[in-house]
Amino acid sequence: MNDDTEGQRPKRRMQVFGRRTVLRGAALGAATPLFSATTTHAETTAHRAPTAGSASFRWLGTSGWRIDVDGRTVLFDPYITRFKTGLFDGGFTPGTKLRCDPDLIQEHIGHPEVVLVSHSHWDHIADVPHIAKSTGARVVGTETTFHLLVAFGVDPGQISVVKGGEVLDFAGITVEVVSSLHSRNKQHSYFAPGTLTAPPTATPRTISDLPEGDTLAFQVTAGSGGPSAFLMGASDFSERAVRGLSPDLAMVAVPSSTATFRYVPRLLRALGEPGVVVPVHWDNFEKPLSEPPRRDPAMDLDGFVAQVHQMSPASRVVVPDYRTTYGADMRAAAPTASEPS
């Protein structure tokens, strides 16, 4: 999660890609896509499954994503239950008990093969034990994530421990693991730091039982030609680690403070000014996904968007919502006249 200044609350052209992709929105029950009709098109069916040779992206709130590639599903930081901790009400309670809503989770996850976890704070990992045990999906994360999941009863053989630098081939879906960093508050301190070198002696029961455990980012590439999506779970990064990734899409965490020097320009430059930038982790993640996203009033989403426009004017910024599936057709370079607008 992001940090606040007191160590508790977070302060919190479609451009046609010359290489290979077209990004479009398919609204669930909404008539207006987020993209300009002159450059993209909205699909006319609600939450339609992606066609062969395509990929789709659905924001699960916070930093979470569901990525579908030719009927196969990858999840990143899926936090769906979204229970209250007092974080957004001025009464943050570290002893809040962990909760999991299996029926609600199943509505959103499909049948995942792989679950990528950036770090082990509750708003990133709390639903992962249930997803892993109920679907058999492989979980990729840090050593701390491994030990926590084992404590939750996940089969150790189902978990892949990574550190950053690994390039994993999941039969046509490539996952590059990127060493990364968690955000810091204005005192340059981490929220709930700590790592585990062995499973805890008891099953975690509260949010305070889940330390950060180091932070990763991931780049997921569908097929041999893309599209590629860079996924962040916290608003800091290792400039050397991300340099040269050159993703088509960058799902970028909105910074919780100004503690990181020139966060936006350094990140966009290192990533090669992605064609599409999607801000994440700016929403109130204690409100249900059935409601429209609500901003954390302490997060400067508008300021972030303005910085992206200033620093990378060729990048298109798409502010996501929970009810839209965004498609990236790997076989089309631009919408055709026969496609709906």
Side-chain angles (χ1 to χ4, degrees):
M1 67 168 294
N2 288 324
D3 307 308
D4 83 349
T5 58
E6 306 302 326
Q8 288 185 350
R9 181 169 180 179
K11 289 302 184 190
R12 323 235 196 262
R13 122 183 200 225
M14 171 174 114
Q15 175 172 338
V16 177
F17 301 137
R19 284 174 286 180
R20 51 192 179 243
T21 62
V22 172
L23 192 68
R24 61 187 185 272
L28 300 178
T32 305
L34 293 181
F35 304 101
S36 167
T38 62
T39 52
T40 64
H41 58 280
E43 295 191 9
T44 58
T45 56
H47 203 35
R48 183 168 66 187
T51 58
S54 68
S56 68
F57 302 82
R58 184 177 178 187
W59 188 40
L60 299 176
T62 324
S63 62
W65 288 91
R66 171 176 168 172
I67 304 172
D68 290 288
V69 180
D70 292 342
R72 303 168 61 198
T73 300
V74 175
L75 300 178
F76 172 70
D77 281 3
Y79 178 55
I80 295 163
T81 301
R82 298 166 73 96
F83 52 83
K84 288 187 176 295
T85 67
L87 183 65
F88 297 90
D89 302 323
F92 178 56
T93 305
T96 301
K97 291 184 178 180
L98 296 167
R99 288 181 46 217
C100 178
D101 186 333
D103 293 336
L104 181 62
I105 292 169
Q106 190 55 48
E107 289 179 17
H108 294 275
I109 65 169
H111 303 283
E113 294 181 26
V114 179
V115 180
L116 309 174
V117 180
S118 67
H119 64 284
S120 297
H121 286 152
W122 83 93
D123 52 324
H124 301 261
I125 200 177
D127 287 335
V128 173
H130 169 77
I131 293 171
K133 289 187 287 186
S134 64
T135 68
R138 174 153 299 280
V139 181
V140 181
T142 65
E143 181 182 5
T144 295
T145 293
F146 172 86
H147 291 310
L148 288 170
L149 293 182
V150 170
F152 279 112
V154 178
D155 180 358
Q158 198 176 332
I159 311 165
S160 297
V161 175
V162 291
K163 299 180 179 180
E166 298 90 347
V167 181
L168 309 178
D169 182 2
F170 290 101
I173 300 174
T174 305
V175 175
E176 297 178 66
V177 186
V178 183
S179 178
S180 195
L181 298 169
H182 198 274
S183 57
R184 291 175 306 285
N185 59 28
K186 289 185 178 180
Q187 286 73 45
H188 299 83
S189 297
Y190 288 114
F191 175 89
T195 58
L196 298 177
T197 58
T201 57
T203 302
R205 301 293 182 189
T206 71
I207 61 174
S208 63
D209 294 329
L210 303 177
E212 174 214 338
D214 296 327
T215 295
L216 301 168
F218 296 90
Q219 181 150 301
V220 177
T221 303
S224 60
S228 56
F230 176 71
L231 307 165
M232 298 180 74
S235 57
D236 201 355
F237 68 104
S238 167
E239 188 168 356
R240 292 175 178 83
V242 305
R243 186 177 294 126
L245 290 175
S246 299
D248 297 311
L249 317 172
M251 285 58 168
V252 177
V254 176
S256 58
S257 75
T258 58
T260 298
F261 176 72
R262 293 178 55 81
Y263 169 71
V264 173
R266 288 174 50 241
L267 176 59
L268 295 180
R269 183 177 63 245
L271 288 174
E273 299 186 0
V276 177
V277 175
V278 184
V280 297
H281 216 328
W282 51 265
D283 58 326
N284 180 334
F285 52 80
E286 298 191 354
K287 298 295 184 181
L289 292 174
S290 58
E291 299 180 2
R294 299 190 189 183
R295 297 189 189 187
D296 175 354
M299 298 290 286
D300 187 6
L301 176 60
D302 294 335
F304 172 85
V305 171
Q307 283 194 68
V308 175
H309 285 313
Q310 178 182 2
M311 302 300 173
S312 183
S315 299
R316 180 166 180 78
V317 180
V318 176
V319 178
D321 62 57
Y322 305 146
R323 293 181 55 79
T324 300
T325 298
Y326 304 95
D329 189 334
M330 292 181 288
R331 298 184 298 178
T336 66
S338 62
E339 292 174 327
S341 61

